[in-house]
Amino acid sequence: MPGDLTDFAEFVEANLPGLLRYGHALTGNPHDAADLVQTVLEKIGSRWSHVLHKTGDPLAYVRRSMANAHISRWRRLRRESLVADIPEPSAFTPADPFEHEPLWQALRDLPPRQRAVIVLRYYEGLSEAEIAASLGVSPGTVKSQASKAIASLRGKLRGDEETEGREAV
């Protein structure tokens, strides 16, 4: 068991910067990214020997876990709750430096799976097969999600609302 913990510590030390970048691209915020990485690594750390022996690529397993955890969190937080009184406005929070960046805004507006495919493909530089293995989907799904995402990004960056979500011809 101590050897497995050493392996896990080495894995985290070697891959933490990339996982934080991936988390930032998924969540759109470095603080939520750090929380996401921490949550996933806590869960995986307790089962590290199982992850090492049962999966071929622990990094792909961690990325997939991050994508799944982000999608689950997004679904939980997206639920609408009705309140009788309007809440007081919150205190001032500093603006995100990428908030007014058109590409960043368009990327943030993509559905979680499309955003994950785009981030893994163009930010992390993974192949379609690696993305499919990482997210647990078929290569065809990766291609279709990437195509839809790129078409949507093009439409949003052009300011052409009617082409969003459709493939450009």
Side-chain angles (χ1 to χ4, degrees):
M1 188 61 131
D4 286 344
L5 293 177
T6 305
D7 291 342
F8 180 67
E10 290 172 359
F11 171 82
V12 171
E13 186 177 337
N15 294 297
L16 186 60
L19 293 173
L20 287 170
R21 284 191 311 270
Y22 177 59
H24 185 224
L26 279 176
T27 62
N29 166 335
H31 304 291
D32 289 341
D35 290 344
L36 177 66
V37 170
Q38 180 179 352
T39 302
V40 169
L41 289 178
E42 281 178 359
K43 289 179 182 178
I44 289 176
S46 65
R47 303 178 318 117
W48 183 245
S49 60
H50 170 76
V51 170
L52 264 183
H53 299 296
K54 298 295 182 185
T55 64
D57 184 6
L59 183 58
Y61 183 85
V62 171
R63 284 185 180 144
R64 181 177 178 194
S65 297
M66 287 175 63
N68 290 343
H70 175 64
I71 290 169
S72 295
R73 180 176 174 264
W74 177 77
R75 285 180 180 153
R76 270 194 316 272
L77 296 178
R78 188 151 184 225
R79 301 201 181 196
E80 186 175 335
S81 60
L82 301 176
V83 293
D85 296 325
I86 298 174
E88 293 294 322
S90 62
F92 173 75
T93 56
D96 183 7
F98 295 113
E99 184 175 351
H100 300 294
E101 185 70 31
L103 180 59
W104 196 252
Q105 288 175 342
L107 184 64
R108 191 181 304 142
D109 291 341
L110 288 176
R113 183 177 279 175
Q114 288 180 12
R115 186 181 326 138
V117 168
I118 293 297
V119 167
L120 288 173
R121 179 69 183 113
Y122 297 103
Y123 193 74
E124 291 291 328
L126 298 181
S127 69
E128 290 170 350
E130 291 171 325
I131 296 169
S134 178
L135 296 178
V137 297
S138 70
T141 300
V142 171
K143 291 177 187 178
S144 70
Q145 292 294 305
S147 176
K148 289 175 184 175
I150 289 172
S152 178
L153 289 173
R154 281 183 184 144
K156 288 177 183 180
L157 291 176
R158 286 183 187 150
D160 188 9
E161 298 295 324
E162 58 200 42
T163 63
E164 288 181 21
R166 292 189 320 202
E167 289 193 36
V169 180

